[in-house]
Amino acid sequence: MVITAAHIQPIVALVAGILILLMPRFLNFVIALYLIFVGLQGLGVLKMLHL
């Protein structure tokens, strides 16, 4: 399976959801990282870095 930009957001959401279930005290940290990642992806910064 080839992971493309369309696969990144659902994978990050899944990992964030699992972390929230396992460690609810880190909810703010996980949400902040997710929002930063999605924001960078939306701005196209990750495409510029070839990630």
Side-chain angles (χ1 to χ4, degrees):
M1 179 174 138
V2 177
I3 297 178
T4 63
H7 294 107
I8 292 175
Q9 189 171 357
I11 291 171
V12 172
L14 184 62
V15 171
I18 291 170
L19 286 175
I20 290 168
L21 284 175
L22 295 176
M23 301 177 289
R25 300 183 98 196
F26 294 110
L27 178 63
N28 291 337
F29 181 71
V30 171
I31 290 175
L33 284 177
Y34 176 75
L35 291 174
I36 290 170
F37 184 80
V38 170
L40 290 174
Q41 182 183 8
L43 291 173
V45 174
L46 297 179
K47 284 186 181 179
M48 292 181 346
L49 297 175
H50 302 289
L51 295 176

